[in-house]
């Protein structure tokens, strides 16, 4: 699939197996989610642009490389919050915006209730995070909002995706690269990913 990368790192696979397990505690779930997000951030950051700058070491002046663009992490609330710390631990200078969406239980379509971003989204690299890519409705809505605010360089990072959601995002926003820890089988009749890991927000915050 074009613009889709499945990050099949052994540690990501191992930790994903832990959070899929329904017996995993809230504490362990959040810890593993932080670790997976950090591992994924390390993998996706290899493609970030750099630029040359002149610095002075304790020995002499030299040319070094730094990130060419500001990084902005934008979680889709509320489950996306669970991935912010893991990414920000690796990129502590990243700014953070927020998109608040909820899914209508009947239509499965997203409804917006909050959106706020730092000014850097227009020229920076935006990492849009939401653990589950199910129908794709929330992700498409999130990308629509970001582009409406002037974002031009957007990548999506999630844990688990379904083919239906990927197809929807590719059809509407083919320029957005999708990074996932796993591609699952399908959606069930209720719009949940199979085998998935349940409601990620509930499992992060202990509201299941």
């Amino acid at each position: 699939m074009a613009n889709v990368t499945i990050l099949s790192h052994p540690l990501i696979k191992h930790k994903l197996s832990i959070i899929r397990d329904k017996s995993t505690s809230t504490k362990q779930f959040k810890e593993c989610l932080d670790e997976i997000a950090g591992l994924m951030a390390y993998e996706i950051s290899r493609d970030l642009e750099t630029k040359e700058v002149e610095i002075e070491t304790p020995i002499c002046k030299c040319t070094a490389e730094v990130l060419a663009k500001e990084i902005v992490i934008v979680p889709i609330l509320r489950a996306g919050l669970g991935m912010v710390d893991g990414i920000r631990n690796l990129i502590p200078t990243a700014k953070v915006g927020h998109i608040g969406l909820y899914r209508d239980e009947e239509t499965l379509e997203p409804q917006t209730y909050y959106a706020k971003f730092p000014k850097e989204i227009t020229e920076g690299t935006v990492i849009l995070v939401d653990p589950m890519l199910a129908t794709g409705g929330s992700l498409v809505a999130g990308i629509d909002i970001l582009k409406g605010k002037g974002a031009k360089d957007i990548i999506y990072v999630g844990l688990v995706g379904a083919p239906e959601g990927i197809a929807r995002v590719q059809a509407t926003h083919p320029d957005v690269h999708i990074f996932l820890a796993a591609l699952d089988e399908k959606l069930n009749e209720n719009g949940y990913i199979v085998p998935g890991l349940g409601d990620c927000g509930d499992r992060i915050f202990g509201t299941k």
Side-chain angles (χ1 to χ4, degrees):
M1 291 178 285
N3 259 10
V4 178
T5 301
I6 310 299
L7 299 172
S8 57
H9 189 286
L11 284 176
I12 292 176
K13 290 180 177 179
H14 174 78
K15 295 175 188 300
L16 184 59
S17 295
I18 294 172
I19 65 174
R20 283 191 193 272
D21 191 332
K22 68 178 184 180
S23 66
T24 296
S25 68
T26 299
K27 177 178 181 292
Q28 190 177 21
F29 187 97
K30 181 59 173 67
E31 289 172 347
C32 282
L33 183 55
D34 282 343
E35 292 164 357
I36 292 171
L39 288 165
M40 294 185 74
Y42 182 81
E43 290 293 319
I44 66 173
S45 62
R46 69 176 66 249
D47 295 323
L48 295 178
E49 296 178 34
T50 60
K51 63 181 180 182
E52 291 187 346
V53 296
E54 185 177 272
I55 63 170
E56 188 167 357
T57 76
I59 309 301
C60 64
K61 291 184 178 180
C62 71
T63 300
E65 293 186 55
V66 297
L67 291 177
K69 296 181 179 181
E70 294 279 356
I71 305 299
V72 181
I73 307 167
V74 178
I76 294 179
L77 305 177
R78 64 184 167 144
L81 287 172
M83 299 183 71
V84 172
D85 289 345
I87 299 174
R88 213 176 187 194
N89 285 340
L90 193 70
I91 314 173
T93 57
K95 307 297 191 299
V96 180
H98 298 87
I99 294 176
L101 299 172
Y102 68 91
R103 188 171 67 165
D104 186 291
E105 294 300 326
E106 293 184 2
T107 66
L108 303 182
E109 292 301 311
Q111 306 296 317
T112 307
Y113 65 89
Y114 186 76
K116 188 168 185 178
F117 313 104
K119 64 181 186 302
E120 287 83 359
I121 67 165
T122 58
E123 300 300 328
T125 296
V126 179
I127 302 176
L128 182 59
V129 293
D130 193 15
M132 313 300 286
L133 175 50
T135 64
S138 293
L139 184 53
V140 167
I143 297 169
D144 286 341
I145 292 169
L146 286 170
K147 288 185 175 180
K149 294 294 184 178
K152 297 178 283 291
D153 181 10
I154 304 169
I155 62 176
Y156 162 71
V157 181
L159 289 183
V160 176
E164 296 92 330
I166 290 174
R168 184 170 180 179
V169 175
Q170 288 182 317
T172 53
H173 295 290
D175 57 311
V176 175
H177 198 119
I178 295 170
F179 291 91
L180 293 168
L183 174 59
D184 277 11
E185 180 185 345
K186 62 179 181 180
L187 298 179
N188 65 15
E189 63 277 7
N190 297 316
Y192 283 95
I193 299 172
V194 178
L197 47 84
D199 188 303
C200 197
D202 283 345
R203 298 194 67 189
I204 292 169
F205 297 106
T207 52
K208 60 180 178 178

